[in-house]
Each structure stands twice: as structure tokens, then as C-alpha cells.
Amino acid sequence: MSDTKAVAMENDISVISEAARGFLRAEHRMLINGARVASVTGKTFPVIDPTSGHEVARVPSGDGDDVNAAVAAAREAFDGGPWPRLKPSGRERIILKLADLLERDAEEFAEIESVNSGRTLANTRAFDVDLSVDYLRYMAGWTTKIHGETFSPSVPYLPGADFFSFTLREPVGVVGAITPWNVPLGQAIWKVAPVLATGCTMVLKPAEQTPLTALRFSDLLDEAGVPPGVVNIVSGFGETVGATLVEHPGVDKIAFTGSTEIGQLIASIAAPALKRYTLELGGKSAMVVLADADPETCIPGTAMGIFGNHGQNCCAGSRLYVHRDLFDTIVPGVVDFARNIKLGAALEPTTEMGPLVSRGQQERVLGYIESGVNDGAELLTGGHAVQSTGAYVEPTVLGNVRRDMKVVQEEIFGPVLVVTPFDDLDDVVEQANATKYGLGASIWTRDVQQVHRLIPRLKAGTVWVNTHNVLDLAVPFGGVKHSGVGRELGAEAIRHHTELKTATIAL
Ligand code: NAI
Ligand code: MG
């Protein structure tokens, strides 16, 4: 890592705007029924800058009582409040205003997010802020386009009688949203935007590692004209705030993004209550490089497939399968790419990859690398923490892996790639599908027939061709198998936030 020595590894907070620094210094409050409140117990917990391990803020530590108050507010706002009763164009105007306000404060949000999550300003600006502005605008457009269908029923057992039927799409109700730390504001807005568009109300619990931008977003809701109680934000831990939200009878639907383990727990609690849920869970996405692929596209494309967002990405291409004819071209290229990634503090302009989100995640990822090496994998590059107080892990490539190894089967959620050669297409399809996950997969080839043959055979919610990780707000995203239930984004997000009501009228 000799070329990283000149780069600062700890954030210099003095380089960010006075607005962002002022926010970090401020006393933070949750948002319940339009009011900025401390937790009922008065307890707080620290927010850590992962480049340094320093505390940068303290936020309220919510508890059951705070969740109860937030759900009561969301319930009242849904059952009797103006939001679900507002004309669609009224909701559209307010959501558009919210997007404008986020755009106005974009730099401050990106700075806060970079300090809190350790990701570069370019990354937080693009994926937390700009994409959120776009998603709010995209969902604002949906408000006026939510509609049902009409039918002319025959009802053969009532000859002579005439009927007319139609369907309505009604808001599902109070949504409990629980989000992770990998793209904190982005994940929060993926939950908020469809709630607002469909006339639902919500309680949002951001991840305990990264609660700051969600709390900052609270300021914009009132300014945009979102009525009190429509969006409530409770900071706190999963076992307390998250669990109370999932169990709460006042919550109609849970929208969760996070680990498969917690997703399964949520499903087990929500199912007996017949609560709706959508779960966007883990992944172990395969990238399959066929013999005719273009190395110039493939090397940077697959490298960014895993190393983008430091590998802290549910659809990260964490398994690379390369046809034996190209193995000795692609793998050294990817290894070289990994070695040249500049690690450094999030706020340093030359940094390409910051630390992982926390010491805990760093230990988890290093533990996986160690288990791979102990199981006989070969360290082709990386594999270590970088000597610093931050949560850095070198971009890592492991070769000589077997399919039964933990590093091949389990989600690592860090910059760790496993590489395997293949000779036979049927065999690689079988290997690509041989984990419990099914979030993403990518095929790298110039052969259009192979593309069409392989897409149906890969068990994944999304298959990319000659690219990986490309998401668009209009295009549904989610997983099969242990990667989740339901889809986010696009029209699917509207469908998952509405219930279908059928009406039949005798004429
Ligand atoms: P997690 O699933 O525990 O946390 C995600 C969210 O769920 C957080 O807001 C957390 O507070 C909440 N939560 C935790 N326990 C809960 C409970 N009992 N009831 C309700 N909510 C609860 O994930 P964690 O521990 O942060 O990360 C562990 C691993 O999970 C990662 O290494 C990664 O493999 C995976 N993960 C996957 C994500 C994805 O985007 N699919 C996002 C985050 C983590
Ligand atoms: Mg957890």
C-alpha cells in the first residue's frame, strides 16, 4: 500500500461546510408527530466517523415508548389526517418541493453522509443525494397515475342481471421502514418516496451506525409541507426500536433492507399477524465471464462490480467465474485494479475507497478473509487491515477457492472477491446458482444468443449483461430465494404500498 501513505486516513472535518459542521455539533432530535423530540428515556448513543473512530455526534436512543408514540402519530395521520385524503396532484407538489429542498442542501447532506459512513463525497453525492432527489421526483410523478381497472362481469349464474366492477389501489396504511447503513440516505428515501406517493404514513428507523442524514432530512419535511405524523423518524437499535416496530399492531406493513438473518426474523413475526412485508436482503452475486468477453470492458467492470461502495453492497459481484481461456487475462487485470485503488479518508479528494462503515464490519470482513485462507484459498492481493485508526480493509481477491468454503457461500459485505475458472457452461450456471442467495448476476459476453439462453437460467432478481450493479429508479429491484421478498423501485414499489380493492355494482 506504498502509494496510499501520502493520503490522510482520518477525515479533516474542518474542510466541510459550516452548515454540515453546525449540524454535527447540534443537539439531535427524532421526529414524532411533526415535533423534534429527545427519546423518552433521555438516552443517547454515539455516532462514529469510521475513518478515525472518533465520535462526531450523539443521537437519541429510541425505545419502545418512542416507537409507540411514533406509530400512534402515523396511525392518526393515516386514519384521520389530510395526507391520504389530499388530491394526488397535491401530494405531487409537496413531494416535488421535498426533492427541490434536498437538491438545495445536497452538498451538506453529502458531507454529513461521508463523515458518517466513510464513503467519498462523489459516492455519497451520487447515490445518497442525487439519486434520492431523482427518486422523489420519479415517485411524485406516480401520485397522479395510480389507478385500477374496469370490468364488465358476465356472472353466468344470474342471467339477466347486469353488473359493473372496478378496482381501486388504496394505500396500504402505516409502514414501518427499517434501513441499513451501506447507502444510508439513499436507502431511507427508497422507503420514504413510495410511502408519500401512495398516501401512506410511516415510521422510519435508520441504521444505528448511520442515523444522521435521516435526522437531517426531518428538517425538510415540514418545510416542504408534509403534514405532521406522516413521516416519523426514530433513531435507535434494531433489537429495541426495530423489533418494537415489527411487532406493533398499529403497523400495517414492514419495509426492510438488511441482513437475511433479520429478514427471516421479521417474516416470522409479521406472518402470524398477516402484516405485509417487503424484504430486500443479502446477496452473493455471480459475475460470469464467457470465453468471448471483451477484457477491456470486463476487467474494470467486474472490479467495480465488487469494489464499488467498498463491497458494502447487497448486489456486489462477490463471485467471479471466468472461462479458462480468459482466466489468466481477466484475473491479473482485476488484481491489478484492486492494488491500484487509492484508500484514504472519505473527505480527501484523491481517495477512491474509504473505510468500511465500522470497526465491527471491519472485523467481520477480516474474519471472512481469514476463514478463506484457513480453508486453503490463495490471497492474490489484499487481505489485511490498513494500519490506521479507521476501519479500512484492503481490496482483496481470493483464488483457489472451493464451492463449500464460507467465503464462496456467505455474504461478506466488504471488498472481497473470490475467483474461479470454468470450462463448461452448464457447470458454471450450476455454480452461479449454488448459494442460498438470488439477488443479482452478470454475464460478460459478446454473444447475443448466449445472453438470451443464460438470462432464464440464472436464479437472480436482476441479471446484468456486460455491466453490474446498474440500478434505475424506474426498473424494479429485489431478490429471489434468500435475497428477499417483493421489489423496490418502479411501478412495483407502488404495487407493494397499495392494497387492491374490488367494487361490484348491480346496474
Ligand atoms: P442488520 O440486518 O442487523 O441491520 C439492518 C437494519 O435492521 C438496521 O437498521 C438494524 O438496526 C435493524 N435490525 C437489527 N436487528 C433487528 C431486529 N431484531 N428487528 C428489527 N430490526 C432490526 O445488518 P447488520 O448487522 O448491520 O449487518 C450484518 C450483515 O448483514 C452485513 O455484513 C451484510 O452481510 C448484511 N447486510 C445486508 C444489507 C443489504 O443491503 N442487503 C444491508 C446491511 C447489512
Ligand atoms: Mg445485525
Side-chain angles (χ1 to χ4, degrees):
M1 306 307 301
S2 54
D3 59 339
T4 66
K5 286 218 174 78
V7 178
M9 302 303 274
E10 294 192 19
N11 277 331
D12 171 7
I13 305 280
S14 74
V15 304
I16 63 176
S17 63
E18 179 46 39
R21 272 180 292 150
F23 173 79
L24 291 174
R25 278 195 305 270
E27 195 173 324
H28 297 289
R29 299 285 198 210
M30 309 190 291
L31 177 68
I32 298 179
N33 208 16
R36 307 306 301 272
V37 295
S39 61
V40 171
T41 62
K43 284 190 191 145
T44 60
F45 65 92
V47 179
I48 305 297
D49 171 350
T51 68
S52 63
H54 296 155
E55 177 178 319
V56 286
R58 293 192 75 84
V59 300
S61 186
D63 217 331
D65 287 341
D66 303 292
V67 175
N68 291 338
V71 173
R75 195 73 264 162
E76 200 181 308
F78 184 76
D79 293 335
W83 187 249
R85 287 152 199 91
L86 206 58
K87 293 267 190 288
S89 63
R91 288 205 305 276
E92 178 184 39
R93 257 195 305 280
I94 290 173
I95 302 169
L96 288 173
K97 177 84 188 291
L98 198 51
D100 289 346
L101 296 177
L102 183 56
E103 192 168 51
R104 179 195 70 191
D105 295 344
E107 206 49 37
E108 184 190 336
F109 273 91
E111 288 171 342
I112 296 166
E113 201 71 285
S114 285
V115 169
N116 191 175
S117 69
R119 292 147 58 241
T120 63
L121 283 170
N123 186 343
T124 57
R125 180 69 203 245
F127 298 106
D128 288 289
V129 185
D130 293 349
L131 212 56
S132 292
V133 170
D134 283 353
Y135 196 39
L136 288 166
R137 290 190 179 133
Y138 171 81
M139 275 294 161
W142 264 109
T143 56
T144 54
K145 293 152 197 85
I146 300 169
H147 57 74
E149 294 176 295
T150 59
F151 306 83
S152 303
S154 301
V155 198
Y157 54 85
L158 294 173
D162 288 326
F163 299 92
F164 175 68
S165 297
F166 60 93
T167 55
L168 297 169
R169 284 220 161 260
E170 298 183 330
V172 70
V174 173
V175 175
I178 300 172
T179 53
W181 42 260
N182 57 335
V183 189
L185 182 67
Q187 298 275 9
I189 301 302
W190 282 25
K191 305 287 186 267
V192 170
V195 160
L196 293 179
T198 51
C200 293
T201 64
M202 76 189 300
V203 178
L204 169 68
K205 189 207 91 66
E208 53 270 34
Q209 297 86 346
T210 53
L212 291 179
T213 44
L215 295 179
R216 175 67 181 82
F217 187 72
S218 303
D219 301 334
L220 305 185
L221 290 160
D222 183 47
E223 193 179 349
V226 177
V230 173
V231 180
N232 304 272
I233 302 179
V234 179
S235 47
F237 292 86
E239 314 82 72
T240 49
V241 174
T244 311
L245 202 50
V246 172
E247 282 160 18
H248 203 296
V251 173
D252 299 300
K253 170 198 160 83
I254 296 292
F256 173 77
T257 301
S259 64
T260 291
E261 178 197 355
I262 300 300
Q264 288 171 312
L265 179 67
I266 288 173
S268 76
I269 296 166
L274 299 178
K275 204 171 273 190
R276 277 57 179 142
Y277 55 85
T278 42
L279 306 172
E280 208 271 272
L281 309 176
K284 192 73 185 175
S285 301
M287 304 188 286
V288 179
V289 178
L290 305 193
D292 74 315
D294 171 22
E296 269 183 50
T297 315
C298 229
I299 291 170
T302 57
M304 283 311 289
I306 177 63
F307 299 122
N309 212 44
H310 322 176
Q312 301 172 129
N313 178 356
C314 49
C315 48
S318 47
R319 293 180 294 145
L320 176 62
Y321 296 93
V322 185
H323 191 276
R324 202 172 297 275
D325 290 353
L326 272 188
F327 195 76
D328 291 334
T329 306
I330 302 297
V331 172
V334 171
V335 165
D336 211 43
F337 190 103
R339 282 199 185 119
N340 284 310
I341 293 174
K342 290 194 181 57
L343 292 185
L347 299 176
E348 281 284 310
T350 54
T351 293
E352 291 169 349
M353 186 189 283
L356 301 186
V357 73
S358 65
R359 281 285 192 190
Q361 194 62 16
Q362 181 195 37
E363 278 163 25
R364 189 183 162 100
V365 171
L366 291 171
Y368 270 112
I369 296 170
E370 197 185 326
S371 95
V373 171
N374 288 342
D375 287 346
E378 182 190 353
L379 208 48
L380 298 177
T381 186
H384 307 101
V386 175
Q387 287 316 313
S388 136
T389 47
Y392 294 90
V393 174
E394 292 171 343
T396 299
V397 181
L398 293 170
N400 195 29
V401 295
R402 291 185 319 271
R403 65 166 72 192
D404 61 321
M405 288 182 186
K406 264 171 64 170
V407 287
V408 176
Q409 289 300 322
E410 296 184 17
E411 180 177 58
I412 299 176
F413 224 65
V416 182
L417 178 69
V418 296
V419 296
T420 311
F422 71 88
D423 299 291
D424 175 70
L425 213 52
D426 289 338
D427 175 55
V428 77
V429 167
E430 202 267 316
Q431 287 198 65
N433 289 335
T435 75
K436 68 179 179 178
Y437 294 111
L439 195 56
S442 57
I443 308 164
W444 302 75
T445 179
R446 290 179 272 203
D447 181 340
V448 72
Q449 279 182 316
Q450 286 298 0
V451 167
H452 282 282
R453 287 189 193 125
L454 286 176
I455 289 172
R457 297 180 67 190
L458 290 168
K459 295 196 174 76
T462 297
V463 179
W464 289 284
V465 179
N466 295 327
T467 189
H468 197 99
N469 287 340
V470 171
L471 301 182
D472 185 76
L473 307 170
V475 180
F477 177 72
V480 299
K481 294 158 65 186
H482 280 59
S483 290
V485 174
R487 294 291 180 271
E488 294 195 276
L489 307 179
E492 288 299 304
I494 297 296
R495 208 169 60 74
H496 283 299
H497 286 79
T498 51
E499 293 278 6
L500 201 64
K501 176 177 281 174
T502 301
T504 292
I505 305 171
L507 300 176

